[in-house]
């Protein structure tokens, strides 16, 4: 089955040698910026994820996604530096359409509570880039209902947050950033909803939406729209409204019925 090792565990996505040549200068510049901004005393390791290390990135469309793992919990100053790095890279390289840098402490990434969420993210969806790979301290994963629940079983909270953001959006850029994020999250959630039944793994948005549609044909058209705006964001807030209030609300309820709710976080 797609995305699995022979033993049924989920194969890690991405490798540095899959980074398309056109994105090579972006990745190298990001390495310089990250190491300069934080240094080995703060930064334990860094990872690429998303379409660039999977080798499927589209110049001018795809963004650069990075996870930074800190030796202790990152603070406000760390987040401010990360935002500065994002802006510098986004302005410098026309190959990318945005930069997203996530920050997290290693203790949280390796915690029991995050074992099937952030731990899975590091072990299977991230590509080791700088420093020692935390995946060495994490288990193998299978496409189970537990994994589904802990990765995406908190859609309710996201729906509330998106509704507030949609009400506060005043520019086309605000709307595009919002619809892109909503589309990505709904497609991922729709896929993990059916993942245990399908019995495999993929991060390809088009395939995720198509697989979801096989199990829920009455919602297939809406999920296709979600996948479209995830790749090419829309400034039309009515699209965001449909995704939040119709598809999103239904998906949250169905997810809870099938897999339950994610374990509460502090």
């Amino acid at each position: 089955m797609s995305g699995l090792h022979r033993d049924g565990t989920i194969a890690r996505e991405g490798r540095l040698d899959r980074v398309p040549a056109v994105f090579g200068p972006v990745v190298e510049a990001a390495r310089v910026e990250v190491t300069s901004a934080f240094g080995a005393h703060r930064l334990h390791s860094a990872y690429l994820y998303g379409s660039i290390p999977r080798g499927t990135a589209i110049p001018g469309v795809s963004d650069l996604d990075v996870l930074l793992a800190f030796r202790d919990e990152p603070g406000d100053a760390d987040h401010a530096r990360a935002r500065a790095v994002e802006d510098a890279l986004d302005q410098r390289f026309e190959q990318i359409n945005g930069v997203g840098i996530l920050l997290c402490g290693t203790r949280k990434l390796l915690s029991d509570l995050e074992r099937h969420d952030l731990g899975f993210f590091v072990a299977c969806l991230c590509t080791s880039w700088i420093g020692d790979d935390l995946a060495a301290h994490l288990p193998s994963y299978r496409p189970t209902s537990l994994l589904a629940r802990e990765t995406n079983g908190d859609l309710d909270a996201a729906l509330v947050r998106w509704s507030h953001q949609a009400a506060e959006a005043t520019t086309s850029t605000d709307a595009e950033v919002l619809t892109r994020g909503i589309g990505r999250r709904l497609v991922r959630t729709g896929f993990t909803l059916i993942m245990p039944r399908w019995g495999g793994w993929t991060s390809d948005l088009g395939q995720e939406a198509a697989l979801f549609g096989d199990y829920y044909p009455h919602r297939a058209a809406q999920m296709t729209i979600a996948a479209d705006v995830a790749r090419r964001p829309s400034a039309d807030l009515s699209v965001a409204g449909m995704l939040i209030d119709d598809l999103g609300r239904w998906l949250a309820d169905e997810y809870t019925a099938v897999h339950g709710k994610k374990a509460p976080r502090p």
Side-chain angles (χ1 to χ4, degrees), residues 61-139:
V61 174
S62 300
D63 56 354
L64 174 68
D65 295 309
V66 174
L67 168 67
L68 304 182
F70 286 80
R71 297 187 184 281
D72 51 19
E73 288 303 310
D76 291 343
D78 297 310
H79 285 280
R81 291 190 189 99
R83 299 295 83 80
V85 172
E86 289 177 344
D87 292 341
L89 293 171
D90 194 25
Q91 293 174 17
R92 180 176 170 186
F93 294 100
E94 62 182 14
Q95 299 97 310
I96 51 175
N97 182 19
V99 181
I101 301 179
L102 300 179
L103 287 67
C104 197
T106 55
R107 181 177 298 179
K108 182 176 181 179
L109 291 170
L110 297 177
S111 67
D112 289 341
L113 184 61
E114 295 293 345
R115 183 59 50 89
H116 287 84
D117 188 8
L118 291 176
F120 166 72
F121 178 60
V122 170
C124 295
L125 307 187
C126 287
T127 298
S128 183
W129 179 40
I130 299 170
D132 295 330
D133 189 2
L134 288 173
H137 306 284
L138 292 163

